[in-house]
Amino acid sequence: MTLLRDTGKVIRSWTDRAALAALAAAGNPLAGVLRDPAGEHAVYAKLRARGPVHRPMLGPPLVLSHRVCGEVLRDNRFGLRRADGGSANGENFFSDTFIEQDPPDHTRLRRLAAPAFRPKLLRDYRDRIEKITRELLHTAVAKGEFDLVTDFASPLPIAVISDLLGIPDEHAGRFARYGVVVARSLNGVRTLAQQRELDAAVADLGELFADLMRQRQADPRDDVISLLATAQAQDKLSAGEVVTTCRLLLIAGFETTVNLIGTAAKLLTDHPEQWALLKQDPDLAPRAVEEVLRYSPPVPIGARISQQPAELDGEPVQPQTLVVLLFAAANRDPGRYAEPDRFLLTRSRDEPEHLSFSQGIHYCLGAPLSRVEGDVALRAMAELTPGLRVTGEPVTRPSSVIRGLLHLPVAV
């Protein structure tokens, strides 16, 4: 029993394929949820009835409550790196970026990138976002029938983050393809073909950013790549760190928003009374964004590693223990939210913020940008596509780690 509960020895990462097979054989609910997300909330309800943390016979503790998830995220005794240097979330597209690092590297690199996402700067940038949004929607609506994801939800945040970074428009199509590759890799790399696909995406982006960095060193502009190139010239980060940071800001800067907008369209059309509320009052758009993120988070699950002796809901945790955080469960915690399984744009403002952007030192750097884009997109949809309806079968992303849609056929 002791060995089975020593999760540091049983499982290195919750995305490890062999470990998940062992967990499935042992009846661990995590394996079932990852294989079949459709029934996850019924599973979470049963587990939550036993307490805020589920400690299975084999595998890591599973945190279901909003309170305990928040405590772990804000506790500096928990981090993202194992003692051997690996990531709590497995090896993936982001493993060498600051989003998967602990202090001091995380702090240093995040501080250098943070000026690009200041709320005031993004408020000033809103006119540009609105212009892109309306151009895309007008073009899509002119077709009568269109794919809301490929014609609108995907090109919008790609255009915005590319503009902020200073990347030429002609690369936009490549970035959408990379997003799909990245989403698959976060579930763990399963085959040699998938590894080659991921390696090619990483190499291609590396070459692009290295070339742009050389251009900005010779001719600085008012963009993020110039900002980072200047920092590298001042020895505040290495050339490799510039490339990995740009890669992170690009992919993370549009992936969450693509999934937010696509999921919002599906949820609103599935809940016509809420869609009617938004159409009647487009100023509900910011609240709609928060409710979509709470109800169906783009990143429903994460993990942390205890770096030193710690506590989990009052019980001791040994160093190098993996802890899995079920954000999708925490966001529907009945101890925090009234009617948590209902999708409600008029949810009380007294309820706590969802955990879809994390908490603590790893709180999503791009959250302000994603919120502005979501607000602008949903407001424009309410005004320009009031007759929006789904006309075909949605196609979901092939990932249980990044949730969203690849395709959503609609008509207006």
Side-chain angles (χ1 to χ4, degrees):
M1 183 72 73
T2 301
L3 285 177
L4 290 178
R5 288 195 179 277
D6 186 353
T7 58
K9 294 176 181 174
V10 173
I11 179 171
R12 288 166 48 123
S13 126
W14 60 276
T15 62
D16 182 85
R17 189 177 186 182
L20 282 175
L23 296 183
N28 186 296
L30 175 63
V33 165
L34 291 176
R35 289 178 173 179
D36 181 23
E40 66 180 346
H41 289 290
V43 174
Y44 296 154
K46 291 180 181 178
L47 297 179
R48 193 186 288 111
R50 306 172 193 169
V53 179
H54 176 65
R55 295 174 173 84
M57 183 77 70
L58 178 67
L62 309 178
V63 182
L64 299 113
S65 90
H66 188 283
R67 173 183 62 83
V68 181
C69 272
E71 289 173 354
V72 172
L73 292 170
R74 296 188 299 271
D75 190 337
N76 291 336
R77 292 175 297 179
F78 290 91
L80 282 159
R81 307 307 294 188
R82 303 192 306 260
D84 64 3
S87 169
N89 290 312
E91 301 312 306
N92 58 67
F93 185 88
F94 297 124
S95 296
D96 58 350
T97 71
F98 72 76
I99 198 174
E100 293 279 346
Q101 300 295 323
D102 293 324
D105 286 337
H106 169 269
T107 308
R108 173 177 58 87
L109 294 171
R110 182 186 173 101
R111 185 179 294 125
L112 291 170
F117 297 92
R118 293 192 306 273
K120 182 182 183 304
L121 178 65
L122 296 178
R123 285 195 297 271
D124 294 341
Y125 198 66
R126 185 181 180 107
D127 287 347
R128 168 68 171 151
I129 296 174
E130 289 177 344
K131 181 175 183 294
I132 296 170
T133 298
R134 290 182 176 272
E135 287 176 351
L136 287 169
L137 263 187
H138 279 301
T139 300
V141 167
K143 300 178 181 179
E145 295 187 12
F146 61 97
D147 187 323
L148 189 131
V149 176
T150 59
D151 291 333
F152 178 57
S154 181
L156 169 59
I158 290 175
V160 171
I161 193 65
S162 297
D163 202 25
L164 280 172
L165 286 170
I167 302 171
D169 292 341
E170 62 264 24
H171 299 293
R174 296 159 63 188
F175 300 152
R177 294 193 297 274
Y178 295 153
V180 178
V181 174
V182 170
R184 283 200 294 261
S185 80
L186 296 179
N187 260 46
V189 178
R190 307 292 195 228
T191 65
L192 287 175
Q194 186 184 0
Q195 184 65 61
R196 286 194 294 269
E197 186 179 44
L198 181 62
D199 290 344
V202 171
D204 194 17
L205 283 173
E207 290 177 6
L208 169 65
F209 285 122
D211 183 52
L212 288 172
M213 185 178 67
R214 287 189 291 270
Q215 294 178 28
R216 297 302 188 270
Q217 286 173 336
D219 181 22
R221 300 181 186 178
D222 185 21
D223 57 42
V224 176
I225 294 177
S226 296
L227 181 75
L228 294 174
T230 299
Q232 191 239 325
Q234 297 170 349
D235 293 326
K236 294 180 179 179
L237 75 171
S238 68
E241 288 172 333
V242 171
V243 170
T244 57
T245 298
C246 287
R247 173 158 49 86
L248 165 65
L249 296 179
L250 172 66
I251 301 297
F254 76 77
E255 267 300 296
T256 297
T257 309
V258 171
N259 296 321
L260 163 62
I261 296 171
T263 299
K266 181 66 168 60
L267 285 174
L268 288 165
T269 53
D270 283 348
H271 297 81
E273 73 288 352
Q274 301 303 308
W275 181 220
L277 286 176
L278 182 60
K279 289 187 290 185
Q280 291 165 9
D281 182 9
D283 286 340
L284 280 173
R287 296 178 70 178
V289 168
E290 300 307 316
E291 181 64 352
V292 170
L293 290 168
R294 183 199 70 84
Y295 190 86
S296 187
V299 181
I301 187 169
R304 292 292 187 270
I305 293 277
S306 55
Q307 310 286 357
Q308 54 184 291
E311 294 84 40
L312 185 63
D313 193 34
E315 292 195 16
V317 172
Q318 297 302 310
Q320 294 302 295
T321 297
L322 177 71
V323 176
V324 171
L325 306 175
L326 300 171
F327 302 133
N331 282 352
R332 296 201 196 181
D333 185 344
R336 296 293 196 188
Y337 301 98
E339 299 183 282
D341 292 321
R342 290 190 64 192
F343 179 69
L344 299 170
L345 304 194
T346 54
R347 188 164 292 282
S348 171
R349 297 180 188 274
D350 293 332
E351 293 180 340
E353 183 180 341
H354 54 75
L355 298 179
S356 300
F357 287 132
S358 189
Q359 285 188 355
I361 65 171
H362 284 92
Y363 188 84
C364 178
L365 183 62
L369 175 61
S370 186
R371 284 183 162 121
V372 171
E373 291 175 307
D375 174 15
V376 170
L378 297 191
R379 196 180 295 265
M381 286 167 56
E383 294 172 353
L384 301 179
T385 63
L388 186 73
R389 65 187 188 279
V390 176
T391 57
E393 192 66 28
V395 178
T396 59
R397 286 183 174 274
S399 170
S400 57
V401 180
I402 294 286
R403 297 278 178 83
L405 300 173
L406 288 176
H407 300 285
L408 182 64
V410 298
V412 292

